[in-house]
Amino acid sequence: MTNEELSLKTKQSLAQALKNAMEHKKLSKITISELCAVCRINRKTFYYHFEDIYSLLKWTLEQEAVEVVKNFNLVVNTEEALRFVMEYADENKHIINGAFDSMGYEEIKRFFYNDLFSVIYGAVEQGEEELQITLDSQFKNFLAAFYTEASAGLLIEWVKNRMTQDKETILQSLLSIYKISIPAILREKKKY
């Protein structure tokens, strides 16, 4: 095994130990010593890879986002993609809540934003195809960013507070907004 492979394996082991610990404890109560004990490594090895637990959490979230995006290759439509993101968030709410508490709103929004932008951008492109129009790339990016900001904010609120609506209600509400407003915007843009 190469040094690079060994390093990745160590990071993944620490990430899994952190995720497991976050199921039972607040992030602020988890120690580097306990993660090292679970992974059977010394503190020096931990510090070789990460500055602190927060940098491990950030790396873990980034790796999770990469995995989510990889799975989008298997997704054929916006509803499946949103459902996938929401199911991931639901299954990993302890991690997202822990990250929210320790790193704040902006960091978690960035996590959702990266995943959702490609989904929504794809929906805009699909609308272009269906209406047989071509949008200026700057406007297309603006439109996707606008919907992504709103969607990421709603998803964070849903994960953090569970609002008063269940996952399916939030999902169907988002899809309704996309299906009604994106084509309307595109039709209006087509007139100009």
Side-chain angles (χ1 to χ4, degrees):
M1 188 177 294
T2 68
N3 283 344
E4 191 175 297
E5 291 169 331
L6 189 57
S7 177
L8 179 61
K9 187 175 179 177
T10 301
K11 288 178 177 181
Q12 289 170 334
S13 178
L14 284 164
Q16 188 59 51
L18 178 63
K19 287 171 64 174
N20 292 344
M22 288 176 75
E23 287 184 33
H24 311 288
K25 291 180 164 182
K26 286 186 149 207
L27 185 66
S28 61
K29 301 291 183 190
I30 299 170
T31 65
I32 291 172
S33 295
E34 88 183 75
L35 297 177
C36 290
V38 169
C39 296
R40 297 180 182 185
I41 63 170
N42 61 41
R43 290 176 66 85
K44 193 173 183 179
T45 301
F46 178 91
Y47 286 113
Y48 175 78
H49 295 290
F50 299 104
E51 185 177 312
D52 54 21
I53 287 182
Y54 300 106
S55 62
L56 168 58
L57 177 60
K58 188 173 181 179
W59 183 85
T60 303
L61 287 173
E62 288 168 356
Q63 295 306 301
E64 299 277 327
V66 166
E67 286 304 309
V68 169
V69 171
K70 277 184 194 172
N71 285 311
F72 283 160
N73 293 334
L74 308 172
V75 171
V76 295
N77 66 37
T78 306
E79 181 174 351
E80 282 183 40
L82 275 175
R83 188 175 301 281
F84 183 82
V85 169
M86 291 182 81
E87 285 173 4
Y88 171 84
D90 202 25
E91 291 167 9
N92 294 282
K93 61 184 167 256
H94 61 284
I95 297 167
I96 294 167
N97 284 331
F100 186 91
D101 292 340
S102 65
M103 297 188 313
Y105 180 83
E106 285 303 314
E107 192 66 33
I108 296 304
K109 185 175 85 173
R110 192 170 64 85
F111 174 75
F112 279 113
Y113 189 95
N114 293 337
D115 293 338
L116 289 172
F117 185 84
S118 61
V119 171
I120 294 171
Y121 192 88
V124 171
E125 285 186 322
Q126 183 180 355
E128 272 185 306
E129 252 180 64
E130 289 171 6
L131 294 172
Q132 298 178 347
I133 64 169
T134 303
L135 292 176
D136 171 74
S137 64
Q138 190 173 11
F139 181 75
K140 194 166 26 175
N141 279 319
F142 172 82
L143 190 58
F146 177 83
Y147 281 99
T148 302
E149 284 285 334
S151 301
L154 285 168
L155 288 176
I156 290 169
E157 283 302 311
W158 173 71
V159 169
K160 186 72 181 144
N161 302 319
R162 289 296 176 206
M163 294 165 71
T164 55
Q165 299 174 329
D166 64 17
K167 178 172 49 177
E168 196 60 33
T169 302
I170 296 289
L171 175 69
Q172 292 308 318
S173 296
L174 283 171
L175 289 171
S176 293
I177 290 168
Y178 299 159
K179 288 176 182 175
I180 294 167
S181 63
I182 291 175
I185 292 167
L186 296 179
R187 278 190 215 95
E188 190 63 30
K189 198 72 171 157
K190 186 176 180 178
K191 292 178 183 177
Y192 297 105

